[in-house]
Amino acid sequence: MTDQISEIRNDLYKRAEFVIKTYKKYLDALAEFDKTGVLKVDGKILYVAKRKTNNGQSDFS
């Protein structure tokens, strides 16, 4: 491979790794939201879902 092709290949791998890491972060946050009802990304709480308790009252998780 020429140096130029090798450089392009390395740049594409770096971009692909960035996209995968970014999407993984958000998918992990959504999975945690499904368990807890709290959507948290980068340590910041973005949303808290209201949940019904067994006695029918609203409760924040």
Side-chain angles (χ1 to χ4, degrees):
M1 269 193 259
T2 66
D3 290 338
Q4 185 179 13
I5 292 173
S6 180
E7 190 175 323
I8 291 170
R9 182 180 55 102
N10 288 337
D11 287 343
L12 288 174
Y13 281 133
K14 288 178 186 177
R15 289 178 189 180
E17 284 179 350
F18 172 77
V19 168
I20 289 168
K21 285 180 184 178
T22 301
Y23 277 99
K24 183 180 180 332
K25 174 176 71 171
Y26 290 113
L27 289 173
D28 289 345
L30 287 173
E32 189 66 24
F33 173 71
D34 191 43
K35 293 179 197 172
T36 64
V38 178
L39 181 59
K40 185 189 277 189
V41 176
D42 294 332
K44 295 179 184 177
I45 295 175
L46 302 177
Y47 182 78
V48 177
K50 283 187 179 181
R51 295 191 173 218
K52 297 273 184 177
T53 59
N54 289 340
N55 59 10
Q57 294 177 337
S58 289
D59 185 49
F60 286 99
S61 295

